[in-house]
Amino acid sequence: MNDNSDQFLRTLRQTLARRHHAIGWICLLIFLTLGASLETLHGLKVGFYLDANHSIRREMWTLSHAHGTLLALVNLAFAGSLQRWGRWAESRLRVASHFLMDASLLIPLGFFLGGIAHSEGDPSVGVFLVPIGALLLFVAILLTVLASLRARS
Amino acid sequence: MLVLCYSFALAVVSLVMYLHLSKTVCRTHAAVATLGTAGFLAAGLAWFSFPLLADSPKPVDLELVNHVTSVSCRKCHESHHDSWHRSYHRSMTREATAENVKGDFDSVSYRVKGVTSHMTREGDTFFMETLDANWADQIFRAGKQPSDFSQVPLKKFRVDRLIGSHWLQEYLHKDPAGRYGRMPLAYHIVEKRWIHMSGAFLAPDNPHFYAQFGVWNETCVYCHNTKAQKNRTERPWPLSSGVNYRTEVEELGIACEACHGPGAEHVRANSNPLRRFDLRRTGRPDPTIVNPARLTAQRSAEVCGHCHAGAVPIPGAWENTHRDPYTPGQELTRFYNFFWSSPQQIALGTGTESAGDDPYDGRFWRDGTPLTTALEYQGMALSACYQNGTSGMTCLSCHSMHKSDPNHQVSEGMRTNQACYQCHPSYQDQLAQHTRHAAESSGSLCYNCHMPYQAYSLLDSHRSHRIEVPRVKNSVGTGKPHACNLCHLDKSLAWTQRTMSDWYGQAVESMSDEDEHISASVVLLFKGDARSRGVVAASFSRPASQEASGTSWMPEVLLRAMEDPYPAVRYLAFRALRSLPGQHDATFDYLAFPTDRELQIEKLFAEIPKLTNSDRQKYPAVPLRGEHNVDAPAISALTRLRDNTPVTINE
């Protein structure tokens, strides 16, 4: 039973590691592309991005780019560490994995949507995705910390 | 409603989350995660909903609210702050810092009226060394002027504050009694030169070097700042006679709260993001702040009228501190009485009887049309468009404080006929038929006929804000130049009358011989009072006027006008001369001593090309004849009839 369980968990860790590895690189590609696009908007002095009345958009999209890129790196780190360190229970591992993936989507998406149809002083309602994503990320990181603190069998 | 929506959304999110998680992890973990998330969001809801409910939009007595300054506004209204920051409203009063000072203080000297003043800078402090005010007073009382002395005592004043950043910049020195006194020299930004204050306003030459001395705490503080409190106290005997000032303003210059009212409550209430989203979603007005665009037409116009109207404080309505009691959105006439003529202004200000029914005064034309800027409210209020319009005309119909060029702050697109088409669309298709001018010409610009350059201030003429039909009767004997004659400078008022009668059926008025036969601009330039002379002289430099009138006859007329006893008129005549073809390099100091000016004019006379006979025939109403271009006796005759009524317009 334990051997089967360990085997299942190893397989699951491998599967999830591959998944986060792929997601990490894909996110990195997407958000570095977004970064390059934002630089292009700067270079071309595009009004809807640089005008004073769109400073919220500039801020939101910059945050989207930054958080997306960082979360891509977090996914890669998660994938790299998953097979080597930490003691995971299956359910916790699944929750952490799901929440990390959801957060990687919700946080940058929330910031990006917040910069569309914003008012002068506030982002648009899409920004409410960010605290939800942040909460999921917090749970995922907490579970990872707990798993890391436990000695690996 | 927002709370209900939020609760519903929370329940849906929780349910979806639980169902999603229960498929992938055990139900216990799913439930814990779901409850944790829901708890967090519910806590957020509770955190926000209580202040939201407490701050639900309700009337706020803004009179009791504190001010916060534009720094606070910038946090949420960056683009509005930026557009205001570009405006000349912001920089109406500033501290004398390197960023704000426009004058040349790079160790320059300027000699005027026999006094050589020195403008210097030491680090970030600016100084003006000029005539000692007490000595200036003494010699004036003795009937002398500085030029009678080989040496004059100078005094070095630190420049503490400044007024203006667009046309002129005036400099203020603060004395130990807290009084900010206006220095006798100003910097004319338009010309990039120093001038004496007697050349800044429409006033005759005055031998007193400090004739235009003014106290900022008394005359400038209310309109050139935000929510001022004069705090003027009499110095008690036996210390000394005089007054002390502890003048306070909420913000130097005309800042956000001058138009939007005090913002402390607005800032506090809107620190709640749900409230902001709720207001944005519903589009409801926020009662914690004033938006002039949402006020009634009358209240909205009064926000601007607080400074752009001729009004005198109602004594009983003000506290002893002399804190301006008006808050935007309130009825302005609770605290101020409007005046519609200078005698009425005197009567309201001093409590004495009106000077009578004589409509002749300094700040209004004889037909009651406001003559200076800062009376725009009166101009608009006298307009049929405002009185009879059904669409609620306000200042914001044509102006915008945040979506406009800082120069005059006219809304985008409103410098064209589009401004009038808002209410008079039918003229769009029959413009040329109505104006009898080519549709694309300046003669078809509604403003030029219905809001002509009949107002004076700041060494220039400006558009009248009384939107009216240009009737000749309003220009006969009133000194007010007719709109047609501000472009057709070579034509007589009788010519205008014939044209208006033929085209629009206007009644024919009887008029003087000069008005019948001589160019109206020439008549007003030499026979009119200083106000007419100034406004007409300014028109000579407008490209549209030069195009409509031809320019070959103008130089000598303008040179004659440069002999005017009013410095401002001399300046405007010279400015016009310099704008003519071949005259761009002309030099003339309109503030020089009379003998020096005569020499300069003589020199310019000698360089003027003579007109041919055919040229002269083109301008039958302009008195041209003889060896010189201008009929000197005719001009002298007009000058002998000049209306020498003293005029002093400190605008």
Side-chain angles (χ1 to χ4, degrees):
Chain A
M1 179 69 183
N2 280 344
D3 285 347
N4 286 345
S5 175
D6 282 351
Q7 181 60 37
F8 177 74
L9 202 55
R10 258 198 302 278
T11 309
L12 179 64
R13 289 171 75 143
Q14 279 179 350
T15 307
L16 293 180
R18 275 198 299 275
R19 187 180 295 169
H20 281 279
H21 182 260
I23 287 172
W25 284 109
I26 290 168
C27 283
L28 206 53
L29 180 66
I30 291 171
F31 290 107
L32 287 180
T33 307
L34 175 62
S37 305
L38 298 184
E39 290 300 326
T40 306
L41 294 176
H42 264 291
L44 299 176
K45 304 293 176 203
V46 176
F48 79 87
Y49 181 63
L50 292 178
D51 285 351
N53 52 341
H54 292 311
S55 61
I56 291 282
R57 173 173 297 160
R58 198 160 63 248
E59 191 178 346
M60 288 292 113
W61 287 6
T62 306
L63 285 169
S64 172
H65 157 66
H67 280 81
T69 307
L70 279 172
L71 285 167
L73 296 176
V74 169
N75 271 283
L76 290 174
F78 187 75
S81 66
L82 196 55
Q83 296 189 66
R84 295 185 189 178
W85 299 295
R87 186 176 177 188
W88 287 97
E90 182 204 341
S91 56
R92 287 187 176 185
L93 179 56
R94 284 186 188 279
V95 169
S97 170
H98 271 284
F99 280 16
L100 180 57
M101 283 189 290
D102 291 348
S104 302
L105 174 70
L106 291 177
I107 293 176
L109 183 66
F111 279 126
F112 191 82
L113 293 177
I116 296 174
H118 61 88
S119 67
E120 187 181 16
D122 283 311
S124 68
V125 72
V127 80
F128 280 122
L129 292 179
V130 173
I132 297 172
L135 179 69
L136 299 180
L137 181 64
F138 177 80
V139 173
I141 299 291
L142 179 66
L143 292 175
T144 307
V145 167
L146 291 175
S148 302
L149 291 177
R150 294 170 70 181
R152 192 176 176 191
S153 60
Chain B
M1 188 61 191
L2 190 73
V3 173
L4 284 176
C5 290
Y6 194 87
S7 305
F8 180 72
L10 181 59
V12 170
V13 168
S14 302
L15 184 62
V16 169
M17 189 173 172
Y18 177 75
L19 292 174
H20 176 65
L21 288 178
S22 60
K23 288 178 187 168
T24 53
V25 298
C26 73
R27 288 186 177 182
T28 309
H29 282 102
V32 168
T34 305
L35 285 173
T37 307
F40 182 87
L41 294 175
L45 169 67
W47 176 264
F48 287 123
S49 62
F50 285 112
L52 174 70
L53 291 170
D55 287 338
S56 59
K58 58 182 181 239
V60 174
D61 187 355
L62 291 175
E63 222 172 313
L64 306 175
V65 173
N66 291 328
H67 288 70
V68 289
T69 80
S70 55
V71 175
S72 299
C73 306
R74 189 175 191 279
K75 291 174 194 163
C76 294
H77 303 285
E78 191 179 350
S79 66
H80 282 81
H81 182 278
D82 286 355
S83 57
W84 162 77
H85 200 270
R86 284 192 298 272
S87 75
Y88 298 110
H89 275 126
R90 177 189 68 89
S91 47
M92 191 54 87
T93 306
R94 296 276 95 185
E95 301 291 4
T97 64
E99 182 197 356
N100 298 324
V101 169
K102 305 258 184 189
D104 183 1
F105 279 83
D106 192 12
S107 300
V108 297
S109 298
Y110 171 57
R111 185 168 176 79
V112 66
K113 292 178 177 276
V115 177
T116 303
S117 304
H118 308 284
M119 276 59 75
T120 55
R121 176 179 174 175
E122 293 170 18
D124 284 338
T125 311
F126 298 82
F127 295 93
M128 185 180 287
E129 189 179 26
T130 191
L131 192 64
D132 184 295
N134 291 330
W135 190 81
D137 243 354
Q138 287 169 18
I139 63 162
F140 178 72
R141 288 203 199 100
K144 295 185 174 177
Q145 42 190 310
S147 55
D148 297 334
F149 299 83
S150 56
Q151 277 199 320
V152 295
L154 300 180
K155 191 172 175 185
K156 192 171 180 178
F157 297 94
R158 189 186 64 234
V159 176
D160 293 303
R161 279 186 183 162
L162 42 88
I163 300 176
S165 63
H166 190 189
W167 309 83
L168 287 169
Q169 190 160 70
E170 299 170 14
Y171 299 95
L172 306 169
H173 169 72
K174 184 182 181 184
D175 69 14
R179 182 180 69 160
Y180 284 87
R182 184 164 60 201
M183 305 298 294
L185 304 181
Y187 193 73
H188 193 188
I189 297 167
V190 177
E191 296 286 346
K192 296 185 175 58
R193 63 161 287 186
W194 286 99
I195 58 172
H196 188 265
M197 284 304 297
S198 67
F201 298 137
L202 188 62
D205 281 316
N206 190 314
H208 196 323
F209 200 74
Y210 281 81
Q212 269 74 32
F213 181 77
V215 177
W216 172 83
N217 316 59
E218 292 285 349
T219 55
C220 316
V221 73
Y222 291 114
C223 282
H224 288 196
N225 299 286
T226 305
K227 201 66 169 182
Q229 182 165 316
K230 197 192 309 182
N231 284 333
R232 179 184 194 271
T233 51
E234 300 288 335
R235 275 204 291 268
W237 185 89
L239 293 178
S240 63
S241 61
V243 293
N244 278 328
Y245 291 97
R246 287 184 295 105
T247 302
E248 295 169 6
V249 297
E250 294 295 347
E251 192 165 356
L252 286 177
I254 299 138
C256 315
E257 290 164 298
C259 302
H260 296 286
E265 178 62 14
H266 180 69
V267 170
R268 190 201 65 74
N270 286 292
S271 59
N272 178 347
L274 289 187
R275 185 179 194 276
R276 300 199 301 273
F277 276 107
D278 187 43
L279 284 170
R280 191 180 165 210
R281 185 180 58 81
T282 59
R284 275 190 307 225
D286 184 348
T288 61
I289 202 76
V290 174
N291 181 352
R294 287 181 183 267
L295 297 173
T296 62
Q298 175 70 22
R299 293 288 95 78
S300 174
E302 286 174 358
V303 172
C304 305
H306 179 225
C307 293
H308 289 271
V312 176
I314 299 173
W318 287 53
E319 293 174 9
N320 290 337
T321 57
H322 297 106
R323 181 177 171 84
D324 187 347
Y326 174 69
T327 300
Q330 291 180 320
E331 197 176 342
L332 189 58
T333 48
R334 273 176 61 189
F335 312 107
Y336 290 91
N337 281 321
F338 292 123
F339 58 82
W340 303 88
S341 69
S342 286
Q344 194 183 7
Q345 179 185 8
I346 293 164
L348 288 170
T350 62
T352 59
E353 287 299 311
S354 166
D357 294 327
D358 185 358
Y360 184 81
D361 58 60
R363 293 165 65 89
F364 293 83
W365 296 110
R366 285 177 182 162
D367 71 338
T369 302
L371 186 148
T372 69
T373 56
L375 295 177
E376 288 84 0
Y377 175 86
Q378 268 94 339
M380 185 175 75
L382 287 168
S383 307
C385 293
Y386 181 79
Q387 293 170 351
N388 307 328
T390 52
S391 56
M393 183 186 192
T394 70
C395 309
L396 299 177
S397 301
C398 300
H399 292 277
S400 167
M401 295 300 100
H402 296 292
K403 292 179 181 170
S404 60
D405 181 340
N407 196 23
H408 299 124
Q409 301 209 276
V410 178
S411 307
E412 286 171 21
M414 293 298 149
R415 290 185 190 275
T416 67
N417 288 348
Q418 208 55 48
C420 301
Y421 293 157
Q422 292 179 92
C423 297
H424 305 280
S426 61
Y427 287 103
Q428 202 158 1
D429 299 326
Q430 46 177 331
L431 183 63
Q433 293 98 303
H434 171 67
T435 65
R436 314 293 180 108
H437 288 71
E440 300 304 321
S441 70
S442 61
S444 280
L445 184 63
C446 308
Y447 286 125
N448 282 345
C449 299
H450 298 285
M451 295 178 70
Y453 288 97
Q454 291 168 332
Y456 176 85
S457 76
L458 297 162
L459 293 173
D460 209 346
S461 62
H462 305 269
R463 290 203 181 280
S464 166
H465 276 62
R466 182 180 192 176
I467 308 163
E468 62 177 344
V469 174
R471 297 187 196 284
V472 173
K473 70 172 184 183
N474 294 333
S475 294
V476 176
T478 63
K480 182 170 103 172
H482 191 276
C484 297
N485 295 111
L486 285 172
C487 269
H488 296 280
L489 297 166
D490 59 321
K491 299 291 195 287
S492 67
L493 190 58
W495 171 87
T496 299
Q497 174 158 272
R498 284 193 297 275
T499 309
M500 297 301 277
S501 178
D502 290 348
W503 289 358
Y504 305 108
Q506 281 191 15
V508 174
E509 307 288 328
S510 61
M511 51 183 70
S512 67
D513 272 358
E514 291 95 2
D515 288 340
E516 283 283 353
H517 301 110
I518 303 177
S519 139
S521 68
V522 172
V523 172
L524 290 176
L525 199 51
F526 296 100
K527 189 186 164 191
D529 67 22
R531 309 166 312 162
S532 302
R533 302 201 298 274
V535 168
V536 169
S539 287
F540 275 76
S541 48
R542 298 201 183 281
S545 305
Q546 294 178 0
E547 189 186 342
S549 314
T551 57
S552 57
W553 61 276
M554 290 182 179
E556 199 169 320
V557 170
L558 291 170
L559 281 170
R560 297 278 186 193
M562 283 158 58
E563 297 166 349
D564 198 279
Y566 280 64
V569 178
R570 296 198 294 266
Y571 163 72
L572 290 167
F574 171 62
R575 188 188 72 171
L577 177 79
R578 207 179 42 191
S579 71
L580 298 177
Q583 300 292 336
H584 303 312
D585 297 329
T587 54
F588 174 68
D589 184 0
Y590 71 101
L591 290 168
F593 283 118
T595 46
D596 294 336
R597 293 202 307 267
E598 277 171 28
L599 289 173
Q600 292 170 22
I601 290 172
E602 252 177 53
K603 186 168 173 283
L604 291 168
F605 248 115
E607 293 166 1
I608 292 172
K610 298 291 176 277
L611 284 173
T612 62
N613 280 336
S614 63
D615 269 343
R616 291 174 194 197
Q617 284 163 7
K618 280 199 293 190
Y619 310 110
V622 181
L624 302 168
R625 72 168 192 193
E627 187 182 341
H628 294 286
N629 295 337
V630 165
D631 182 352
I635 297 292
S636 299
L638 287 173
T639 307
R640 277 196 297 277
L641 295 172
R642 175 187 286 155
D643 183 344
N644 285 315
T645 307
V647 169
T648 298
I649 295 179
N650 289 336
E651 283 288 346

